[in-house]
Structures are given as structure tokens and as C-alpha cells.
Amino acid sequence: MSHVLVAPDKFKGSLTAVEVAAAVADGLAEAAPGVPVRVLPVADGGEGTVDAAVAAGFRRVRTLVAGPTGQRLTASYARRAGTAVVELAEASGLHRLPGGLAPLTASTFGTGELIGAAVRAGCKRVVLGVGGSASTDGGAGLLAALGARLFDADGEPLAPGGAALRRLARLDLSGLDARLSEVEFELASDVDNTLLGTHGAAAVYGPQKGATAEDVEVLEDGLTRWAMAVDPQVAGRPGAGAAGGAGFAAMAVLGARMRPGIALLLELLGFPDAVRGARLVITGEGSLDEQTLRGKAPAGVALAAGVPVVAVAGRSLLSAAQLREAGIAAVYPLSDLEPDPTRSMANAGDLLRRCAARVAHDFLEAR
């Protein structure tokens, strides 16, 4: 009998992708006990990417790194053979801030440490997933962790963070780990923002990280100086503004090739094999909205599936026409069962099991 593939992303603030998949699978097992179910939690490069890779058979590797404001913390990357999956949010994400937002001083240094650990372990391919960044440092911290040195006009090392880049006078890349040149870097991102300007990293994403209008100007000045020191042409590429400009550093210095996050991750996680022979795919995320249509996990899963796809979600703000355009046959929002958002998030697991029973009734009975 053909199987059902359960391939959701996380419900942010409520359940991980692994937990969402488990709840849906439990609901299906109870409502349609004779139907085989396969589970493949997915991610699009943002928070939860390492967890999804581990669920797909990668090994979790823990290491001590610097958080966004320098505090030491344990973060993970995922490894299988010579491939490493590094999630920027693991070390440098908003959820790693210890005491409030730090738009001017947060750094990506810890992400560089994760990359360095993977390279020292012998990985020859590094997939860098970006999303949820706390920093707007243009990836300067990331490169500093890998051996780059940044100095002000007095020859003093720059402090961490995007604001300090205004004082950059000299960049020395001679200390970069020589092994980096032997590594293939891929940037998993759906962000098409450039580094600078009105659609750049500071202007668009700085306010989400706590930057005031004055802070945005400071960060823009710093990123402009940084771009001139590294490679102003790459600063204009789509994706250079990803993760506060970490995409710029990855492309300009590490030679990273940018690929759509969900497409790259589905390939890496083994989605083509998992969906082969499936009769139905159940995907989902916390909120189905306009962002979903711009390359988020459910839309990517629907595009790649080749079989009917339905979605579970905390809420859905998409019209029936938008869902059809995205290739999603039906959506089952938790808000239909529990309108109160707080109670819905608190009881998401039970609600997902009930949604799965509805999916089984609508799509699996008498088929």
C-alpha cells in the first residue's frame, strides 16, 4: 500500500518540525491504522535546520562557541560523511540573545566557529542555512572566527558588531584557514535582498532586530565601509543581505553559491526518495501567509512532491486561490479547532492529532 509522507516545518514558538511530524503521524495512526506513514521533518535554512538534518540521519556535533553578544554556549552542526549543515541561528540567532536585542553589537562570530569546527573535522561541503539572525555585521564576525582580522585607523582590532564597522580601516584575510579553499560552500537562503540600500540588510531587517531609525543609519554606514573593503560588486548581488549580511561574507570570501533554501534542504534531507510512491504529502508551518508563497517550506514541499499535498498550520491567511497556486489542495488550521492563539500554541500537539484525523477522513478513507 502506498504511504503518506509527513513533511512539515516547525510551528515557531510552539513545536519543532520533529514534534509537528510526530503529532501528525500519531493522529494518522489512530484515524487510519492501515495506512503506512513516513516522517521527514523539513526546514528551509532557518531555525530548526540542524534538527531536521539530524532527523534525516545526520549526526549532531556539539561544540562550544560564542553567542551573539559573546557569551559562551553550546551549539550544534549536523554532519554526514563529508557534508556539514551549519545553521546560523544555532549560534547567532535571536533566540540566543541572553538579555534583550543588541542590534549594534551582535556578531556572527559563533557561526564562524561552527564552520571552523566542521572544516577541522574534515568536511569538504558546508551548507550554511541562514535565518533568524540577531546580527547585522555583514558576516564580519563569521570571517573573524575563521582567521580574518579587522583593524581601525589606530591599528586596534575592531569590536564585534555592525556599528564598529564604521571604523574599519584595514582588513587582513591572510590569516584565513587555508583549508577553507578546499571546501564547497552553499548558502541556503530565499532572501534576495542586497547588502546595502533601501532593500538592504540594515534597512529591511535591522528594525526586526531592535534597530531604531538612527541605528539603521549607523549599520548602513558600517556595512558600506565593509563592502568597500571586501568586494563592492558582490554587495549588489541578490542574497548578499541575508542574515544581516552574512550572505555577503559567505559569497564574497568563502565563494558560497546561493541556492533556494527549501530546495537545497529537501535534496539534502532525502525528500525525493521519501516521497517516491507516496499517495499524499502532509506539510505545514505555524502560519501560512504571503511569506509561505515566497519559497517557505510548505510551498517548496508542494512544488517538489508530484502528488497531492495538504497542509496543517497554526493559522492560514491564504485564500483558496493562493493555496491552489502553491499546489496545496487543502489546509487544516489549528485555529479552526481553537480560536484562542495562546491556547492553540499550548495545545498544538493535541490539535495537530485532531487535524490529522480530519485529513485521514477527507483524503484516505475508501481510497
Side-chain angles (χ1 to χ4, degrees):
M1 181 185 295
S2 57
H3 65 283
V4 174
L5 177 62
V6 181
D9 199 350
K10 64 186 177 296
F11 279 33
K12 190 171 183 179
S14 180
L15 298 176
T16 67
V18 173
E19 291 168 334
V20 173
V24 172
D26 286 347
L28 291 175
E30 183 174 347
V35 177
V37 177
R38 290 190 64 177
V39 168
L40 186 75
V42 302
D44 58 13
E47 189 177 336
T49 294
V50 165
D51 289 342
V54 171
F58 282 67
R59 178 170 63 91
R60 186 184 301 275
V61 182
R62 295 179 173 85
T63 185
L64 194 65
V65 300
T69 54
Q71 78 281 14
R72 302 304 287 178
L73 52 83
T74 299
S76 304
Y77 69 91
R79 180 183 181 185
R80 184 167 63 192
T83 295
V85 177
V86 176
E87 174 190 324
L88 182 139
E90 262 288 295
S92 310
L94 285 164
H95 71 290
R96 289 297 204 174
L97 288 165
L101 300 172
L104 299 179
T105 57
S107 167
T108 53
F109 192 92
T111 299
E113 290 182 297
L114 283 175
I115 293 172
V119 172
R120 288 191 299 275
C123 294
K124 298 299 184 182
R125 179 192 183 197
V126 173
V127 175
L128 176 59
V130 296
S133 169
S135 171
T136 311
D137 73 348
L142 183 157
L143 295 180
L146 295 172
R149 297 188 296 170
L150 291 75
F151 301 97
D152 64 18
D154 296 323
E156 295 295 322
L158 285 190
L165 292 174
R166 292 177 302 163
R167 301 191 299 277
L168 178 66
R170 185 166 66 89
L171 172 64
D172 181 2
L173 298 177
S174 64
L176 285 175
D177 191 325
R179 288 169 290 194
L180 294 169
S181 63
E182 303 171 357
V183 178
E184 175 190 4
F185 287 93
E186 293 177 280
L187 188 65
S189 174
D190 295 297
V191 170
D192 60 3
N193 303 76
T194 55
L195 181 66
L196 305 173
T198 56
H199 298 289
V204 175
Y205 299 109
Q208 299 175 12
K209 304 170 188 181
T212 64
E214 293 77 13
D215 292 339
V216 168
E217 291 185 13
V218 168
L219 293 168
E220 183 74 10
D221 288 346
L223 291 175
T224 299
R225 198 169 186 89
W226 175 236
M228 294 302 296
V230 179
D231 191 328
Q233 289 188 326
V234 175
R237 287 186 194 171
F248 167 70
M251 290 191 286
V253 178
L254 302 180
R257 180 168 60 103
M258 183 172 149
R259 293 182 58 190
I262 185 60
L264 174 54
L265 266 297
L266 288 180
E267 173 190 305
L268 201 66
L269 300 175
F271 182 84
D273 288 336
V275 78
R276 189 172 294 116
R279 63 195 289 190
L280 178 72
V281 174
I282 304 175
T283 187
E285 63 179 350
S287 178
L288 290 178
D289 51 35
E290 294 285 346
Q291 290 294 322
T292 303
L293 304 178
R294 292 197 281 270
K296 290 295 186 181
V301 167
L303 181 65
V307 298
V309 175
V310 300
V312 291
R315 63 174 187 171
S316 178
L317 304 179
L318 298 178
S319 67
Q322 288 174 311
L323 289 168
R324 285 195 301 271
E325 184 179 351
I328 297 173
V331 60
Y332 296 80
L334 306 193
S335 57
D336 283 358
L337 302 175
E338 174 51 77
D340 182 82
T342 301
R343 287 198 293 266
S344 179
M345 293 178 70
N347 299 296
D350 287 339
L351 294 171
L352 280 167
R353 284 185 276 274
R354 291 169 60 187
C355 284
R358 293 175 59 200
V359 173
H361 176 272
D362 293 345
F363 284 88
L364 300 179
E365 287 187 359
R367 297 193 181 200

